[in-house]
Coordinates of all heavy atoms in Angstrom, one line a residue:
I327 N -17.6 15.5 29.8 CA -17.4 15.7 31.2 C -18.7 15.6 31.9 O -18.8 14.9 33.0 CB -16.8 17.1 31.4 CG1 -15.4 17.2 30.8 CG2 -16.7 17.4 32.9 CD1 -14.8 18.6 30.8
K328 N -19.8 16.3 31.4 CA -21.1 16.2 32.1 C -21.7 14.8 32.1 O -22.3 14.4 33.1 CB -22.0 17.2 31.4 CG -21.7 18.7 31.7 CD -22.7 19.6 31.0 CE -22.4 21.1 31.3 NZ -23.3 22.0 30.6
D329 N -21.5 14.1 31.0 CA -22.0 12.7 31.0 C -21.3 11.8 32.0 O -22.0 11.0 32.7 CB -21.8 12.2 29.5 CG -22.3 10.7 29.4 OD1 -23.6 10.5 29.5 OD2 -21.5 9.8 29.2
A330 N -20.0 12.0 32.1 CA -19.3 11.2 33.1 C -19.8 11.5 34.5 O -20.0 10.6 35.3 CB -17.8 11.5 33.0
L331 N -20.0 12.8 34.8 CA -20.4 13.2 36.2 C -21.8 12.7 36.4 O -22.2 12.3 37.5 CB -20.3 14.7 36.3 CG -18.8 15.2 36.3 CD1 -18.8 16.7 36.3 CD2 -17.9 14.6 37.4
D332 N -22.7 12.8 35.4 CA -24.1 12.4 35.6 C -24.2 10.9 35.8 O -25.2 10.5 36.4 CB -24.9 12.8 34.3 CG -25.1 14.3 34.2 OD1 -24.9 15.0 35.2 OD2 -25.5 14.8 33.1
K333 N -23.3 10.2 35.3 CA -23.3 8.7 35.5 C -22.6 8.2 36.7 O -22.3 7.0 36.8 CB -22.8 8.0 34.2 CG -23.7 8.2 33.0 CD -23.2 7.5 31.8 CE -24.2 7.5 30.6 NZ -23.7 6.9 29.4
G334 N -22.2 9.1 37.6 CA -21.6 8.7 38.9 C -20.1 8.9 38.9 O -19.5 8.6 40.0
G335 N -19.5 9.5 37.9 CA -18.1 9.8 37.9 C -17.8 11.0 38.8 O -18.7 11.7 39.3
R336 N -16.5 11.0 39.2 CA -16.0 12.1 40.1 C -14.9 12.9 39.5 O -14.0 12.3 38.9 CB -15.5 11.4 41.4 CG -15.8 12.1 42.7 CD -15.6 11.1 43.9 NE -14.5 10.2 43.7 CZ -13.3 10.4 44.2 NH1 -12.9 11.5 44.7 NH2 -12.3 9.5 44.0
A337 N -15.0 14.2 39.6 CA -13.9 15.0 39.1 C -13.0 15.3 40.2 O -13.3 16.1 41.1 CB -14.5 16.3 38.5
V338 N -11.7 14.8 40.2 CA -10.8 15.1 41.2 C -9.9 16.3 40.9 O -9.2 16.8 41.7 CB -9.9 13.8 41.5 CG1 -10.7 12.7 42.1 CG2 -9.2 13.3 40.2
V339 N -9.9 16.7 39.6 CA -9.3 17.9 39.2 C -10.3 18.5 38.1 O -10.7 17.8 37.2 CB -7.9 17.7 38.5 CG1 -7.4 19.0 37.9 CG2 -6.9 17.1 39.5
G340 N -10.6 19.8 38.3 CA -11.5 20.5 37.4 C -12.9 19.9 37.4 O -13.4 19.3 38.4
G341 N -13.6 20.1 36.3 CA -15.0 19.7 36.2 C -15.7 20.3 35.0 O -15.0 20.8 34.1
A342 N -17.0 20.3 35.0 CA -17.7 20.9 34.0 C -17.4 22.4 33.8 O -17.4 22.9 32.6 CB -19.2 20.8 34.2
A343 N -17.1 23.1 34.8 CA -16.8 24.5 34.8 C -15.4 24.8 34.2 O -15.0 25.9 34.0 CB -16.9 25.2 36.2
S344 N -14.6 23.7 33.9 CA -13.3 23.9 33.4 C -13.3 24.3 31.9 O -12.3 24.8 31.4 CB -12.5 22.6 33.5 OG -12.3 22.2 34.9
V345 N -14.5 24.2 31.3 CA -14.6 24.6 29.9 C -14.8 26.1 29.9 O -15.9 26.6 30.1 CB -15.7 23.8 29.1 CG1 -15.8 24.3 27.7 CG2 -15.5 22.3 29.2
R346 N -13.8 26.9 29.5 CA -13.9 28.3 29.5 C -13.4 28.8 28.1 O -12.2 29.0 28.0 CB -13.1 28.9 30.6 CG -13.5 28.4 32.0 CD -12.5 29.0 33.1 NE -12.8 28.3 34.4 CZ -13.0 28.9 35.5 NH1 -12.9 30.2 35.5 NH2 -13.2 28.3 36.6
K347 N -14.3 28.8 27.2 CA -13.9 29.0 25.8 C -13.0 30.3 25.6 O -13.3 31.3 26.2 CB -15.2 29.2 25.0 CG -16.1 28.0 25.0 CD -17.4 28.3 24.3 CE -18.3 27.0 24.4 NZ -19.6 27.2 23.7
P348 N -11.9 30.1 24.8 CA -11.6 28.9 24.0 C -10.7 27.9 24.7 O -10.1 27.1 24.0 CB -10.8 29.6 22.8 CG -10.1 30.7 23.5 CD -11.0 31.2 24.6
Y349 N -10.6 28.0 26.0 CA -9.7 27.1 26.8 C -10.5 26.1 27.6 O -11.7 26.3 27.9 CB -8.8 27.9 27.7 CG -7.9 28.9 27.0 CD1 -8.3 30.3 27.0 CD2 -6.7 28.5 26.4 CE1 -7.5 31.2 26.4 CE2 -5.9 29.5 25.8 CZ -6.3 30.8 25.8 OH -5.5 31.7 25.1
V350 N -9.8 25.0 27.9 CA -10.3 24.0 28.8 C -9.2 23.7 29.8 O -8.1 23.3 29.4 CB -10.7 22.7 28.1 CG1 -11.2 21.7 29.1 CG2 -11.8 23.0 27.1
E351 N -9.5 24.0 31.1 CA -8.5 23.7 32.1 C -8.5 22.2 32.4 O -9.4 21.4 32.0 CB -8.9 24.4 33.4 CG -8.8 25.9 33.3 CD -9.5 26.7 34.5 OE1 -10.1 26.0 35.3 OE2 -9.3 27.9 34.5
P352 N -7.4 21.7 32.9 CA -7.2 20.2 33.1 C -8.4 19.6 33.9 O -8.9 20.1 34.9 CB -5.9 20.1 33.9 CG -5.2 21.3 33.7 CD -6.2 22.4 33.5
V353 N -8.8 18.4 33.4 CA -9.9 17.7 34.1 C -9.5 16.2 34.2 O -9.1 15.6 33.3 CB -11.2 17.7 33.2 CG1 -12.3 16.9 33.9 CG2 -11.7 19.2 33.0
V354 N -9.5 15.8 35.5 CA -9.2 14.4 35.8 C -10.4 13.7 36.4 O -10.9 14.2 37.4 CB -8.0 14.2 36.8 CG1 -7.7 12.8 37.1 CG2 -6.7 14.9 36.1
L355 N -10.9 12.7 35.8 CA -12.2 12.0 36.2 C -11.9 10.6 36.7 O -11.1 9.9 36.1 CB -13.1 12.0 35.1 CG -13.6 13.3 34.4 CD1 -14.2 13.1 33.1 CD2 -14.5 14.0 35.4
T356 N -12.6 10.2 37.8 CA -12.4 8.9 38.3 C -13.8 8.3 38.5 O -14.9 9.0 38.4 CB -11.7 8.8 39.7 OG1 -12.5 9.6 40.6 CG2 -10.3 9.4 39.6
D357 N -13.9 6.9 38.7 CA -15.1 6.2 38.9 C -16.1 6.4 37.7 O -17.3 6.4 37.9 CB -15.8 6.7 40.2 CG -14.9 6.5 41.4 OD1 -14.1 5.5 41.4 OD2 -15.0 7.3 42.3
V358 N -15.6 6.6 36.5 CA -16.4 6.8 35.4 C -16.8 5.4 34.8 O -16.0 4.6 34.5 CB -15.7 7.6 34.3 CG1 -16.6 7.9 33.1 CG2 -15.1 8.9 34.9
P359 N -18.1 5.2 34.6 CA -18.6 3.9 34.0 C -18.0 3.7 32.6 O -17.8 4.7 31.8 CB -20.1 4.1 34.0 CG -20.4 5.2 35.0 CD -19.2 6.1 34.9
D360 N -17.8 2.4 32.3 CA -17.2 2.1 31.0 C -18.1 2.5 29.8 O -17.6 2.6 28.7 CB -17.0 0.6 30.9 CG -15.9 0.2 31.9 OD1 -15.1 1.0 32.3 OD2 -15.8 -1.0 32.2
D361 N -19.4 2.7 30.0 CA -20.3 3.0 28.9 C -20.5 4.5 28.7 O -21.3 5.0 27.9 CB -21.7 2.3 29.1 CG -22.4 2.8 30.4 OD1 -21.8 3.6 31.2 OD2 -23.6 2.5 30.5
S362 N -19.8 5.3 29.5 CA -19.9 6.8 29.3 C -19.2 7.3 28.1 O -18.2 6.7 27.6 CB -19.4 7.5 30.6 OG -18.0 7.4 30.7
A363 N -19.6 8.4 27.6 CA -19.0 9.0 26.4 C -17.5 9.3 26.6 O -16.7 9.2 25.7 CB -19.7 10.3 26.0

Side-chain angles (χ1 to χ4, degrees):
I327 296 170
K328 289 181 177 178
D329 180 66
L331 297 175
D332 289 345
K333 290 183 175 177
R336 216 163 36 94
V338 293
V339 175
S344 297
V345 180
R346 304 173 189 230
K347 301 177 181 181
Y349 299 101
V350 178
E351 294 171 351
V353 178
V354 178
L355 301 163
T356 62
D357 304 324
V358 181
D360 291 340
D361 63 350
S362 68

